Amino acid sequence: MPCDRPSVGLSVAVGGSGLEPDAGATGLADVRTGRPLRPGTLLHACSMSKLVAAVAVLRLAELGTVDLHADVERHLNAPLARSDDDPARPVTLAHLLSHQAGFVDPDAAGEPVAPGPAPDVAALVRTGLGTTTGLGTTTGLGTSTGPGTTGPAPVTVPPGEGFAYSDVGYWVVEHVVARATGRPYADVVDDLVLAPLGLTGPAAGPGASTAWAYVDAGAGGRAERVVDDLAAVGHTTSGGVVAGDRAVYRGLAAAGLWATPTALALLLTDLVDSWHGSSDGVLTPTSARTLWSAPGPTSYAALGAFLLRHGTETVVQTHGWGAGFQAVARAHLDRRSVVVAMMCSDPGTDQDGSAVGAVADACTEHG
């Protein structure tokens, strides 16, 4: 029977080497007002933010600011908590970016929190998810350090020995980037990754194609880069709007980026070209190859993304799923083509069973 419920939005961009992305959108950005979703409407990238974080770290490694394989504690103002059986083994950025640093996140590490001031990522790393360490208020999480207190999420497995998806690891990445550069994380990513592609700054022109969930902690954060009411709102599985319109998460590196599919398609295409040897991209060919290779024993875990196989072809995938939003992006390395699909709705199932996954699968199967 016909459904009279308004259709929430789906936005898609496809592209490839030498081609401008072809973008389209359908449905609504806000079911309450009937505002349509446009190809240029910002959506929450959720955990696809992690790929952008990895690219930023590779850029910093090219500049000699950080070392991908050195102990990250050189950049921290307090040691990481350790409960693994090899505490002398260093945690590196390569471990963190590939979810192989040994963190096992508290259940609520990836859950949305109440809007408020930017989180103190240093405090999150140092003391965990207590009531004064992040956005809004939370219940006590992490390792118990006494009645009514919390500690940091510890490294529980020796670094490099196993995969465990970790938002906490990306809090550490964000903290390292800020400490190593002396600048807010979002400003570093804007200047080294997004601005060179025309995705922010004067070259971007009117209408933002990227934004951040909040102003980064520390002096110098760019308030004008915070997502505004022109972005899509998140919708629940029943078609309503999520609390607060747009969920907020701890950590920009883990889940703080908002973007259009076209913006992410441009980034992916640039990385694919560099992977194939172009010297004109954000990353050098060597760094692009490092980005999309597995640094540890988990063969599918690259830096900020995952390596899939389709026949004989390697396909790079990044995906995100948060309150009111879901997304997936793929780069087909042999074909040099990319697809990004984003929706402003929680479909109630993972990407394998949702509309964004169906779009990505169709592009993978049929080119």
Side-chain angles (χ1 to χ4, degrees), residues 29 37 46 64-65 68 73 76 81 114 130 151 176 204 232 267 287 295-296 307 325:
L37 186 69
C46 303
T65 307
L68 202 61
E73 288 197 358
L76 304 180
V176 167
L267 172 61
S287 292
L307 306 175
F325 291 89

Side-chain angles (χ1 to χ4, degrees), residues 11-181:
S11 188
V12 177
V14 295
S17 297
L19 302 172
E20 286 294 317
D22 188 10
T26 186
L28 301 178
D30 188 337
V31 298
R32 298 167 303 186
T33 64
R35 176 164 59 98
L37 186 69
R38 306 293 190 191
T41 304
L42 287 170
L43 296 112
H44 190 192
C46 303
S47 284
M48 294 202 299
S49 307
K50 294 177 173 70
L51 173 63
V52 179
V55 176
V57 170
L58 266 293
R59 283 288 291 121
L60 291 172
E62 291 174 352
L63 296 170
T65 307
V66 299
D67 184 330
L68 202 61
H69 302 290
D71 190 340
V72 296
E73 288 197 358
R74 66 169 67 179
H75 298 294
L76 304 180
N77 54 6
L80 296 171
R82 302 289 292 260
S83 64
D84 59 300
D85 58 13
D86 190 3
R89 186 184 303 186
V91 172
T92 71
L93 285 165
H95 292 143
L96 293 164
L97 293 170
S98 62
H99 303 281
Q100 296 177 84
F103 288 111
V104 177
D105 287 7
D107 289 342
E111 293 300 313
V113 291
D120 183 346
V121 176
L124 285 170
V125 171
R126 185 174 63 252
T127 61
L129 303 180
T131 57
T132 61
T133 59
L135 286 162
T137 60
T138 67
T139 57
L141 299 165
T143 303
S144 176
T145 57
T149 65
T150 66
V155 175
T156 59
V157 178
E161 288 196 1
F163 175 89
Y165 193 87
S166 177
D167 285 306
V168 171
Y170 274 77
W171 300 347
V172 179
V173 169
E174 182 174 335
H175 186 44
V176 167
V177 168
R179 293 272 297 179
T181 61

Side-chain angles (χ1 to χ4, degrees), residues 10-25 38-40 260-266 269 337-341 359 363 367:
L10 172 68
S11 188
V12 177
V14 295
S17 297
L19 302 172
E20 286 294 317
D22 188 10
R38 306 293 190 191
T260 65
T262 296
L264 295 174
L266 286 167
T269 301
S337 65
V338 306
V339 56
V340 182
V359 169
C363 290

Side-chain angles (χ1 to χ4, degrees), residues 13 15-17 48 51 264-265 267-273 275-276 291-292 305-310 313-318 328-340 360 363-364:
S17 297
M48 294 202 299
L51 173 63
L264 295 174
L267 172 61
L268 285 170
T269 301
D270 183 82
L271 295 171
V272 168
D273 287 345
W275 193 89
H276 280 279
L291 179 74
W292 285 343
F306 301 98
L307 306 175
L308 312 179
R309 298 295 295 175
H310 180 69
E313 182 181 27
T314 297
V315 180
V316 179
Q317 176 168 305
T318 177
V328 65
R330 289 182 186 166
H332 304 90
L333 293 182
D334 293 350
R335 284 178 268 171
R336 301 178 72 155
S337 65
V338 306
V339 56
V340 182
C363 290
T364 297

